[in-house]
Amino acid sequence: MVRASKEYKLEVSDFHDGDETVGIWDGSQMLVTTGAKNFFGKIWENIRLLWRYGYRSPVTTNALVKQTVEAFLSIYNKHTSWDSVEDLSARLNLTDLTAQDGATYLASQGVGETFAFEVVECATRVNYAQDLNVIHGLGAMVSMAANGAKGITKGNFHVFEHFLKDSQAKVHLNTHVTKLQPKPDGGWVLLATGAAPPTPTPADETHDEKKEEDAQANIVPPELIIIETYDVVILAAPFDTLDIQLPTNLAPVTPAPYVNLHVTLLSTKSPTAKHEYFGLGERDTVPTMVLTTAQGIRAGGKAPEFNSLSYHGRIKEGVDEWVVKIFSEERIEDEWLAGVFDHVGWVHRKVWDSYPKLPPTTSYNPMKLSGGLYYVNGFETFISTMETETVASRGVVDLMLREMLGDGICPSGVSSPPPEGEEFVWGWDC
């Protein structure tokens, strides 16, 4: 996706600015605060962190994350094909990480419990809303690798819009696939429903006026029945959510539960949350990014009421009003917001199944469900990110081409060296 952002000339932004202060909250107390602004403050902060976590745990964790990332990056430098996620995991030497939870894996590598359950767990809770002793080791490493991540300034969806445009794909919006049926001679019949094209309106009436009249009269637009045939179908959504009638003799797919996440966006004229909520004094620094650990729960204390609370810059330059984003497992009510911020402007809430639960595992759902029917999302319980789902889709298309044509995206024996002197990764080319 980084390569795509450059080729499409899309503006990229950091998720956080360099002036933020970060705190670790356990539901009852602020365990750590970082982000000192002056020289001596930074020295004192480093001494405190070294005293709390030691030297070995941070260095070891950093080395483990780097090792994991380098293993995964190897698929960009080679024309890698795989027939199953298990196959790819074994070839990248990542199976040991997914076979155990993150806490067990880090302990086996000599990482101290305090660092693991405070720092690494903060990352797993903000990135996957899962505790360190629940998520698999690879998920924990991917969470730590997210540090320094960037996004497309006007929305990451622009990358995929360009993908669609370049592919010249025929896109059917507001269309529900209801059934997939195999043809006796191979291929698939697809049945779908969608809104019928709008009926012509009188010359003196606009289409928007006609829609408004229909809405007031409770007139539902007629549905269009779509029947099309395809040689190959690729399912690219969580299997449990498809709501499609499928044949019963497909390769078995194990349910993969997703995290139900509450996202609360708000505007506030408060430069930080209230110090009283976090039990801090008036002169204490209230972090602009608060991450959480479940260590308080393990000690019999209160659970944090959110997974993360972070300031995301001013609404516009020169205006002292900020955007705040909160991730939580439950709905954040207006009363709670009023108790945490001195001022609350607009509030926008979204609840969605954000990412899969990632318990330890060494088996994944198949890439191929039947002849000519493939599945992308089995990759998600291995690694779940936009980048890795893009990689997963390439793997499925490569498998399909090898089975249909005898060669994948890159024909056997064909390999062009990447351009010299450039940071370059292979994508859908050779």
Side-chain angles (χ1 to χ4, degrees):
M1 287 183 67
V2 172
R3 177 183 163 189
S5 71
K6 292 176 180 178
E7 294 193 3
Y8 295 137
K9 296 180 172 54
L10 299 172
E11 183 182 349
V12 175
S13 303
D14 291 323
F15 282 140
H16 306 290
D17 60 48
D19 294 330
E20 68 190 5
T21 51
V22 180
I24 299 176
W25 171 248
D26 74 353
S28 299
Q29 60 180 324
M30 196 70 73
L31 301 176
V32 173
T33 302
T34 69
K37 300 292 190 295
N38 61 66
F39 176 75
F40 291 106
K42 289 181 184 295
I43 290 177
W44 177 241
E45 180 180 285
N46 289 335
I47 291 171
R48 284 190 298 110
L49 293 175
L50 190 62
W51 180 265
R52 186 174 186 88
Y53 299 124
Y55 176 77
R56 181 182 177 185
S57 291
V59 170
T60 300
T61 302
N62 186 58
L64 293 172
V65 172
K66 184 179 179 182
Q67 177 183 303
T68 304
V69 171
E70 286 177 351
F72 191 79
L73 288 179
S74 67
I75 68 175
Y76 293 94
N77 301 321
K78 303 172 184 175
H79 302 312
T80 308
S81 297
W82 58 93
D83 296 333
S84 68
V85 181
E86 291 90 341
D87 171 34
L88 181 65
S89 176
R91 287 160 63 183
L92 297 178
N93 294 316
L94 296 175
T95 303
D96 186 50
L97 275 73
T98 65
Q100 54 191 317
D101 66 73
T104 302
Y105 172 68
L106 289 172
S108 73
Q109 301 299 312
V111 176
E113 183 176 302
T114 303
F115 186 84
F117 280 109
E118 289 183 6
V119 178
V120 182
E121 185 164 76
C122 281
T124 65
R125 286 172 63 86
V126 69
N127 286 299
Y128 288 115
Q130 293 163 68
D131 293 339
L132 186 64
N133 59 333
V134 172
I135 195 170
H136 59 53
L138 181 56
M141 293 297 96
V142 170
S143 296
M144 289 297 287
N147 186 38
K150 301 177 185 296
I152 305 302
T153 302
K154 295 183 178 180
N156 292 328
F157 66 89
H158 285 291
V159 172
F160 303 102
E161 279 189 342
H162 279 282
F163 283 166
L164 283 170
K165 183 178 178 181
D166 279 4
S167 72
Q168 299 182 359
K170 190 176 177 183
V171 180
H172 297 268
L173 300 177
N174 302 313
T175 303
H176 176 209
V177 178
T178 57
K179 186 177 182 180
L180 277 174
Q181 184 174 320
K183 294 173 60 183
D185 56 346
W188 293 83
V189 177
L190 180 149
L191 282 77
T193 58
T199 54
T201 56
D204 60 347
E205 183 179 29
T206 68
H207 178 54
D208 287 342
E209 288 171 344
K210 180 70 166 61
K211 281 176 37 179
E212 179 66 24
E213 287 178 6
D214 287 352
Q216 291 178 358
N218 293 321
I219 297 174
V220 179
E223 280 196 330
L224 181 68
I225 306 299
I226 301 167
I227 302 176
E228 294 189 359
T229 59
Y230 295 91
D231 295 325
V232 171
V233 173
I234 298 175
L235 301 175
F239 195 84
D240 307 347
T241 68
L242 289 176
D243 193 24
I244 299 174
Q245 186 179 338
L246 296 166
T248 57
N249 60 344
L250 302 181
V253 175
T254 303
Y258 273 62
V259 172
N260 189 246
L261 188 73
H262 290 254
V263 181
T264 307
L265 291 169
L266 64 123
S267 67
T268 178
K269 294 179 180 178
S270 308
T272 67
K274 293 181 182 180
H275 63 271
E276 297 94 337
Y277 177 81
F278 296 108
L280 299 173
E282 288 186 17
R283 300 184 65 180
D284 291 330
T285 298
V286 180
T288 52
M289 173 181 280
V290 182
L291 305 177
T292 61
T293 170
Q295 279 294 73
I297 307 171
R298 297 184 185 102
K302 281 177 56 180
E305 295 179 299
F306 55 87
N307 289 2
S308 66
L309 182 157
S310 53
Y311 275 66
H312 283 264
R314 285 177 165 82
I315 288 196
K316 80 179 161 180
E317 195 173 343
V319 176
D320 287 339
E321 188 168 6
W322 293 265
V323 175
V324 177
K325 180 170 67 176
I326 302 171
F327 289 161
S328 60
E329 296 174 20
E330 305 290 339
R331 176 185 167 91
I332 297 291
E333 300 292 350
D334 291 344
E335 294 77 12
W336 188 91
L337 294 174
V340 174
F341 300 95
D342 286 320
H343 168 269
V344 177
W346 51 259
V347 178
H348 177 74
R349 294 179 175 88
K350 182 176 179 63
V351 185
W352 62 307
D353 291 338
S354 48
Y355 12 69
K357 296 181 179 180
L358 300 173
T361 187
T362 57
S363 61
Y364 303 93
N365 282 321
M367 296 167 63
K368 181 179 178 180
L369 303 181
S370 185
L373 182 62
Y374 298 86
Y375 181 51
V376 171
N377 290 65
F379 205 95
E380 285 223 84
T381 50
F382 179 54
I383 306 176
S384 178
T385 67
M386 286 186 293
E387 173 71 15
T388 50
E389 275 305 283
T390 307
V391 170
S393 67
R394 187 189 192 281
V396 165
V397 170
D398 185 79
L399 173 62
M400 178 265 291
L401 291 174
R402 283 187 282 123
E403 293 190 336
M404 288 187 68
L405 305 177
D407 255 324
I409 293 172
C410 295
S412 302
V414 175
S415 178
S416 303
E420 293 184 10
E422 295 183 23
E423 288 187 5
F424 186 84
V425 296
W426 292 115
W428 295 83
D429 48 16
C430 298

